[in-house]
């Protein structure tokens, strides 16, 4: 049967009500296998915490009794011993549910245990917390069992600071007395010790209070968001919608006024005299000195200050300016000798720097590569343990840098993606995956090749998945890193449709060699449906230095779309590519970039799937948008040229626009405004809304229906 006849059969079956899924019953796996049965999802270990290099604590749940047990495992002896049973909390405090949501080992047989965790935003939660000291048979209910946020134990283990209803409290573990630190906290007005929505989303800050080394002083941030405009999201649960209203500062609008404070006692409680737009990082240097990292509104002037809490004097320690923007450091810590260790792109690539007490700057790591995460600084052995996208950008390897010889040494498997946690005694735990290996978790030593496997997930059914081919794609006078997945039984004499996966946002990567998510398996499913799958990391993405990443500054969407279109033209030169059958799929920034590629003078895409896209940067949050675009008043041309709403007149192709109605990150309004503009320009498109759906439109059943919709849309367009 030729392709035209096959397309006609598929159309008839579709019109008759038969799903396209049934048309391909001979495929080696189904969408239900991916999203419902989760047959291709990598295994992970239950929640566990290492005590030292050879012992760790593992949680086991008893769902019938609604309680949890914590066990200690010894890797050397392979012995297992019970440390704690949360059933005792059920009995002491008359709890119906004592399943542990989170736990922290404070010292031997002393725990902080959280129950009944409740999500607030994407990263923040509130939980019931209990302090357990099994040496003393002490079981303490913090805040009388109310759900609180960010319990922070003082270094001497005598006090717990926490946030409740936007105020800070200190619970004294010896006397069981509670001390109220702030009283002005108010929803959608004043936040103490936590952070506002945009700090949480863009700076990764949730907790904003920290104990001094001597447990005497508590530093915290106060957010005054009273001038920030409110945004309401309707949740459709009953006859009438329930509105969730929160403060969301958009580009160019009022943002929270943030101040830093010190609390020692009710008589010694004061505001730090330091003015700045943003306070993304706070860290105690010692018992008397607090370090504060600040940024101006355009985020192109980063400063680090030393503040003496006794004489209330401040001193500028480090400053970094950039004509574009300064990213937050991936490492910001104080070394034992009092030096500041910080990562910076000031010399073109992200590297580690030491700043001594006299403000002298010393670059530690060097080379044409980016330091990703720094795991350990070993001053005794002069070694830096870090990760980097080496030897090629799609891989993440763990290396050491010898500060004496200035040499690199790989200590992980370099063929995939590694993530590690240092354990002390020269050991580390490595979580590793590759496109053909789901997961491998092992304890390793930096001094030998000895390792102990904790989990290895590599199954025979994975053989049905087609492998990615990584390559450099030549684009004019530069190259872009890319991968492609070819259909089974690929034949260079045939012509195939192409589906581009895009993301492309600042500093991001989609061209990575790891197992990936269920979405990655769905792409493989589409390869089995006859598509060539292609992914390209355009200019503006990460792992290739500051200039490559920051060149999109002030022009979001322009260079990225240009590169994706050039990538399409490159693929169209291949004899096996049907240039009339090119499609694009993207989520969030990828959804935005899909739209930008469909609003160009030259129509190269037959169809696009855009999920949860920004459609005008004026609708997005201030911290993210202004970092890359400045303000709308300061860059009106950049905002207009990067707006699908403004470019709707140029729209061409077949569009499936998808958005969750309760998206608190990229508001549903983005798709509604685009819809209005497309209608105004008489453009035909399809739009699917997911009731109460967040940015990730999660849930197994929802994901199945979502990807069924996307699959059918693409297959119906494919000839």
């Amino acid at each position: 049967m030729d392709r035209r006849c096959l397309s006609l059969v598929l159309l008839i079956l579709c019109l008759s009500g038969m799903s396209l899924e049934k048309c391909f019953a001979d495929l080696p796996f189904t969408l239900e296998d991916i999203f419902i049965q989760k047959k291709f999802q990598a295994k992970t270990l239950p929640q566990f915490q290492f005590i030292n290099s050879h012992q760790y604590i593992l949680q086991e749940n008893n769902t019938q009794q609604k309680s949890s047990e914590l066990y200690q495992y010894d890797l050397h002896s392979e012995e297992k011993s019970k440390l704690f049973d949360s059933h005792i909390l059920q009995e002491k405090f008359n709890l119906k549910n004592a399943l542990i949501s989170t736990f922290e080992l404070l010292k031997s047989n002393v725990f902080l245990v959280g129950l009944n965790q409740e999500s607030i935003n994407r990263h923040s939660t509130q939980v019931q917390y209990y302090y357990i000291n099994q040496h003393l048979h002490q079981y303490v209910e913090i805040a009388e069992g109310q759900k609180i946020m960010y319990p922070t134990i003082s270094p001497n283990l005598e006090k717990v600071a926490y946030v409740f209803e936007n105020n800070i409290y200190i619970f004294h573990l010896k006397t069981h007395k509670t001390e109220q630190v702030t009283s002005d906290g108010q929803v959608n007005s004043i936040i103490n010790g936590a952070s506002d929505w945009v700090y949480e989303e863009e700076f990764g800050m949730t907790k904003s209070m920290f104990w001094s080394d001597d447990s005497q002083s508590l530093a915290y941030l106060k957010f005054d968001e009273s001038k920030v405009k409110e945004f309401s999201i309707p949740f459709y649960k009953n006859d009438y919608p329930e509105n969730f209203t929160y403060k969301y500062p958009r580009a160019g609008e009022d943002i929270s006024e943030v101040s830093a404070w010190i609390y020692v006692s009710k008589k010694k409680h004061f505001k730090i005299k330091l003015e700045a737009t943003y306070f993304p990082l706070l860290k105690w240097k010692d018992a008397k000195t607090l370090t504060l990292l600040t940024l101006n509104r355009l985020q192109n002037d980063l400063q680090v200050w030393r503040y003496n809490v006794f004489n209330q004097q401040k001193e500028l320690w480090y400053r970094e300016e950039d004509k574009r923007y300064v990213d937050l450091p991936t490492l910001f810590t104080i070394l034992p000798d009092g030096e500041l260790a910080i990562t910076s792109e000031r010399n073109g690539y992200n590297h580690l720097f030491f700043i001594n007490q006299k403000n002298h700057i010393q670059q530690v790591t060097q080379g044409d590569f980016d330091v990703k995460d720094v795991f350990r600084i070993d001053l005794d052995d002069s070694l830096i343990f870090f990760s980097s996208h080496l030897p090629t950008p799609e891989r993440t390897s763990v290396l050491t840098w010898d500060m004496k010889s200035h040499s690199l040494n790989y200590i992980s498997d370099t063929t995939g993606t590694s993530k590690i946690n240092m354990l002390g005694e020269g050991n580390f735990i490595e979580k590793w995956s590759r496109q053909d290996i789901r997961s491998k978790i092992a304890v390793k030593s930096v001094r030998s090749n000895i390792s102990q496997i904790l989990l290895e997930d590599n199954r025979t059914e994975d053989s049905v998945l087609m492998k990615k081919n990584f390559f450099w794609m030549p684009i004019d006078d530069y190259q872009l890193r890319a991968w492609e997945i070819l259909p089974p039984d690929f034949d260079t004499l045939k012509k195939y449709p192409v589906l581009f996966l895009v993301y492309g946002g600042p500093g991001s990567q989609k061209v990575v060699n790891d197992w990936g998510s269920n979405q990655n398996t769905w792409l493989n499913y589409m390869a089995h449906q006859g598509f060539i799958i292609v992914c390209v990391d355009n200019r503006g993405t990460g792992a290739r230095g500051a200039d490559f990443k920051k060149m999109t500054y002030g022009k979001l969407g322009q260079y990225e779309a240009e590169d994706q279109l050039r990538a399409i033209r490159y693929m169209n030169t291949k004899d096996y590519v049907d240039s009339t059958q090119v499609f694009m799929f993207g989520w969030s920034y990828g959804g935005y970039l899909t739209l930008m590629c469909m609003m160009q003078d030259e129509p190269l895409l037959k169809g696009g799937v855009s999920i949860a896209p920004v459609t005008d940067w004026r609708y997005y949050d201030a911290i993210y948008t202004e970092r890359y675009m400045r303000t709308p008043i300061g860059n009106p041309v950049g905002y207009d040229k990067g707006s699908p709403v403004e470019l709707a007149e140029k729209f061409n192709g077949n569009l499936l626009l998808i958005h969750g109605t309760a998206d608190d990150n990229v508001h549903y309004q983005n798709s509604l405004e685009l819809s209005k503009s497309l209608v105004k320009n008489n453009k035909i498109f399809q739009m699917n809304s997911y009731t109460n759906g967040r940015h990730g439109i999660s849930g197994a059943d929802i994901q199945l229906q979502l990807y069924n919709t996307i699959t059918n849309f693409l297959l119906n367009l494919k000839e």
Side-chain angles (χ1 to χ4, degrees):
M1 182 183 295
D2 64 28
R3 287 168 50 241
R4 291 183 179 179
C5 291
L6 178 59
S7 298
L8 180 60
V9 170
L10 290 175
L11 179 61
I12 294 172
L13 290 173
C14 185
L15 293 174
S16 68
M18 182 180 293
S19 70
L20 288 171
E21 181 82 15
K22 293 181 180 179
C23 301
F24 290 89
D26 58 337
L27 291 178
F29 58 100
T30 66
L31 294 181
E32 282 84 355
D33 290 335
I34 301 172
F35 297 105
I36 301 297
Q37 304 300 328
K38 300 186 186 300
K39 289 184 178 180
F40 297 94
Q41 192 164 294
K43 290 180 181 178
T44 59
L45 289 174
Q47 184 178 348
F48 71 99
Q49 183 180 129
F50 266 85
I51 304 171
N52 50 48
S53 62
H54 63 93
Q55 292 178 320
Y56 64 95
I57 301 172
L58 188 65
Q59 175 179 329
E60 295 182 9
N61 293 329
N62 187 326
T63 53
Q64 288 185 337
Q65 291 187 1
K66 293 186 176 181
S67 62
S68 304
E69 297 172 337
L70 300 179
Y71 288 92
Q72 179 175 306
Y73 286 79
D74 191 293
L75 293 173
H76 294 166
S77 65
E78 298 186 354
E79 292 181 353
K80 170 184 176 181
S81 59
K82 184 188 290 188
L83 291 180
F84 175 68
D85 189 339
S86 70
H87 183 65
I88 194 170
L89 297 178
Q90 285 179 304
E91 295 177 342
K92 284 186 174 293
F93 300 103
N94 194 28
L95 303 175
K96 292 182 179 179
N97 186 350
L99 286 168
I100 294 176
S101 301
T102 180
F103 71 87
E104 179 183 359
L105 177 68
L106 303 174
K107 67 176 185 179
S108 178
N109 283 303
V110 180
F111 300 90
L112 186 66
V113 170
L115 311 178
N116 301 311
Q117 180 170 293
E118 178 184 342
S119 177
I120 299 174
N121 291 324
R122 292 216 292 172
H123 308 289
S124 58
T125 59
Q126 56 184 12
V127 188
Q128 290 174 284
Y129 280 99
Y130 298 83
Y131 174 83
I132 294 108
N133 187 327
Q134 296 198 122
H135 290 301
L136 303 176
H137 302 286
Q138 186 180 18
Y139 303 90
V140 181
E141 188 176 47
I142 299 173
E144 299 178 343
Q146 297 178 100
K147 289 186 177 180
I148 61 174
M149 302 173 68
Y150 316 125
T152 306
I153 307 290
S154 61
N156 62 9
L157 303 184
E158 293 182 0
K159 293 179 279 190
V160 184
Y162 63 88
V163 174
F164 176 68
E165 295 183 345
N166 285 17
N167 280 313
I168 299 172
Y169 296 82
I170 295 176
F171 182 77
H172 295 261
L173 291 167
K174 287 185 176 180
T175 64
H176 291 192
K177 291 183 178 180
T178 301
E179 182 179 358
Q180 186 166 353
V181 175
T182 66
S183 57
D184 58 348
Q186 185 178 344
V187 174
N188 286 344
S189 182
I190 302 293
I191 303 169
N192 294 291
S195 69
D196 65 1
W197 184 94
V198 72
Y199 262 60
E200 180 178 323
E201 178 65 28
E202 304 302 351
F203 288 148
M205 175 186 280
T206 51
K207 180 183 74 171
S208 68
M209 57 183 179
F210 310 91
W211 284 106
S212 61
D213 296 359
D214 61 0
S215 303
Q216 297 303 306
S217 303
L218 183 72
Y220 71 92
L221 296 182
K222 183 188 295 290
F223 291 77
D224 182 348
E225 56 177 359
S226 57
K227 295 180 182 178
V228 180
K229 290 182 179 179
E230 292 184 340
F231 194 89
S232 292
I233 296 175
F235 280 85
Y236 302 95
K237 297 180 179 179
N238 302 307
D239 291 343
Y240 290 88
E242 298 176 8
N243 281 330
F244 167 68
T245 300
Y246 68 116
K247 296 299 184 85
Y248 186 98
R250 287 184 167 174
E253 300 285 352
D254 287 332
I255 59 178
S256 292
E257 296 177 4
V258 185
S259 53
W261 293 69
I262 298 290
Y263 180 85
V264 181
S265 65
K266 290 183 178 180
K267 293 183 179 180
K268 194 175 183 181
H269 185 190
F270 55 90
K271 177 182 176 180
I272 295 175
K273 294 179 181 179
L274 179 60
E275 301 298 324
T277 304
Y278 298 121
F279 291 84
L281 291 168
L282 281 74
K283 187 176 290 290
W284 286 92
K285 180 177 179 291
D286 49 49
K288 70 174 183 178
T289 310
L290 178 70
T291 58
L292 305 97
L293 185 148
T294 66
L295 282 168
N296 63 331
R297 177 138 187 179
L298 293 182
Q299 301 169 69
N300 56 14
D301 185 0
L302 180 150
Q303 300 177 16
V304 178
W305 295 84
R306 289 181 291 205
Y307 183 83
N308 188 307
V309 300
F310 293 111
N311 61 25
Q312 298 184 30
Q313 296 297 308
K314 64 179 183 291
E315 179 186 2
L316 183 62
W317 195 1
Y318 171 78
R319 187 173 191 176
E320 181 179 348
E321 297 177 277
D322 194 299
K323 63 182 180 181
R324 296 161 297 194
Y325 61 90
V326 183
D327 261 330
L328 276 186
T330 55
L331 178 75
F332 178 77
T333 193
I334 310 298
L335 300 176
D337 60 2
E339 287 191 319
L340 171 67
I342 190 170
T343 52
S344 168
E345 296 174 317
R346 60 187 300 136
N347 292 337
Y349 289 88
N350 198 47
H351 279 293
L352 176 64
F353 292 80
F354 290 167
I355 321 297
N356 70 10
Q357 305 281 23
K358 296 182 179 180
N359 302 3
H360 174 71
I361 301 173
Q362 174 195 355
Q363 182 172 343
V364 181
T365 57
Q366 299 173 23
D368 293 343
F369 61 89
D370 285 320
V371 169
K372 187 174 183 289
D373 296 306
V374 178
F375 303 110
R376 182 182 178 186
I377 299 173
D378 190 334
L379 296 177
D380 292 334
D381 291 336
S382 296
L383 289 176
I384 309 296
F385 295 80
F386 69 98
S387 61
S388 183
H389 295 290
L390 291 171
T392 49
E394 75 275 5
R395 293 181 263 187
T396 303
S397 303
V398 182
L399 309 94
T400 60
W401 174 268
D402 190 309
M403 290 187 282
K404 293 180 179 178
S405 64
H406 291 187
S407 60
L408 287 172
N409 179 49
Y410 289 95
I411 63 171
S412 72
D413 189 318
T414 63
T415 63
T417 296
S418 291
K419 298 178 182 179
I420 74 167
N421 290 316
M422 300 302 298
L423 302 176
E425 302 177 24
N427 291 346
F428 61 93
I429 182 169
E430 180 186 26
K431 298 179 181 179
W432 179 87
S433 74
R434 197 173 61 196
Q435 62 163 320
D436 56 338
I437 298 178
R438 300 190 192 205
S439 179
K440 184 185 292 185
I441 302 176
V443 176
K444 295 185 174 182
S445 170
V446 300
R447 296 184 176 89
S448 69
N449 294 323
I450 299 174
S451 66
Q452 185 161 355
I453 304 297
L454 301 181
L455 180 148
E456 191 165 12
D457 186 9
N458 190 24
R459 304 174 219 172
T460 55
E461 60 259 40
D462 297 346
S463 61
V464 303
L465 301 180
M466 309 301 296
K467 287 188 178 182
K468 299 172 184 174
N469 170 40
F470 294 90
F471 63 99
W472 288 103
M473 181 180 286
I475 304 291
D476 291 344
D477 59 344
Y478 58 96
Q479 292 183 320
L480 300 175
R481 199 62 176 163
W483 57 250
E484 66 177 357
I485 301 175
L486 300 175
D489 303 321
F490 174 73
D491 187 345
T492 56
L493 298 179
K494 295 181 179 179
K495 285 191 176 291
Y496 296 88
V498 179
L499 174 61
F500 276 79
L501 168 70
V502 298
Y503 186 78
S508 68
Q509 282 182 274
K510 213 63 176 171
V511 179
V512 291
N513 191 352
D514 63 7
W515 180 255
S517 63
N518 287 332
Q519 183 187 98
N520 183 67
T521 311
W522 171 77
L523 292 169
N524 222 288
Y525 175 85
M526 296 305 291
H528 279 272
Q529 298 279 20
F531 288 86
I532 295 173
I533 313 298
V534 178
C535 183
V536 181
D537 275 345
N538 47 255
R539 287 173 293 175
T541 55
R544 296 184 62 184
D547 288 339
F548 185 85
K549 180 179 72 173
K550 295 181 179 181
M551 73 167 305
T552 60
Y553 181 68
K555 297 182 178 181
L556 286 189
Q558 297 180 50
Y559 288 118
E560 303 97 308
E562 184 179 299
D563 280 353
Q564 294 295 334
L565 294 173
R566 287 176 174 178
I568 293 172
R569 295 188 191 99
Y570 172 83
M571 291 302 299
N572 286 347
T573 63
K574 307 295 182 183
D575 292 337
Y576 52 80
V577 167
D578 185 344
S579 62
T580 68
Q581 300 284 308
V582 181
F583 306 89
M584 189 170 282
F585 165 84
W587 201 308
S588 195
Y589 201 99
Y592 161 70
L593 194 47
T594 298
L595 295 173
M596 290 295 293
C597 288
M598 299 183 76
M599 296 179 179
Q600 303 293 325
D601 293 328
E602 182 182 2
L604 294 177
L605 288 173
K606 183 175 184 180
V609 179
S610 173
I611 306 178
V614 171
T615 61
D616 191 310
W617 289 109
R618 296 172 181 88
Y619 304 145
Y620 201 54
D621 77 62
I623 291 180
Y624 183 96
T625 307
E626 292 173 8
R627 180 189 304 151
Y628 307 119
M629 290 288 283
R630 303 191 296 278
T631 63
I633 292 177
N635 183 21
V637 174
Y639 277 79
D640 286 344
K641 287 188 175 182
S643 169
V645 171
E646 297 294 330
L647 299 173
E649 184 181 359
K650 293 185 175 183
F651 170 80
N652 55 74
N654 299 275
L655 172 65
L656 174 59
L657 179 63
I658 297 173
H659 218 125
T661 65
D663 192 334
D664 65 328
N665 182 12
V666 181
H667 297 146
Y668 183 51
Q669 179 188 0
N670 281 270
S671 286
L672 292 177
E673 294 291 344
L674 176 64
S675 170
K676 183 169 65 176
S677 189
L678 290 172
V679 170
K680 180 180 177 181
N681 285 278
N682 194 30
K683 302 295 183 178
I684 306 302
F685 65 101
Q686 297 180 40
M687 183 171 176
N688 278 34
S689 301
Y690 283 83
T691 306
N692 301 333
R694 297 282 197 174
H695 192 57
I697 314 179
S698 59
D701 291 337
I702 296 173
Q703 291 277 296
L704 176 63
Q705 194 277 344
L706 170 67
Y707 280 94
N708 249 321
T709 300
I710 297 168
T711 301
N712 289 346
F713 173 79
L714 293 171
L715 290 179
N716 285 334
L717 288 175
K718 187 182 81 166
E719 294 181 358

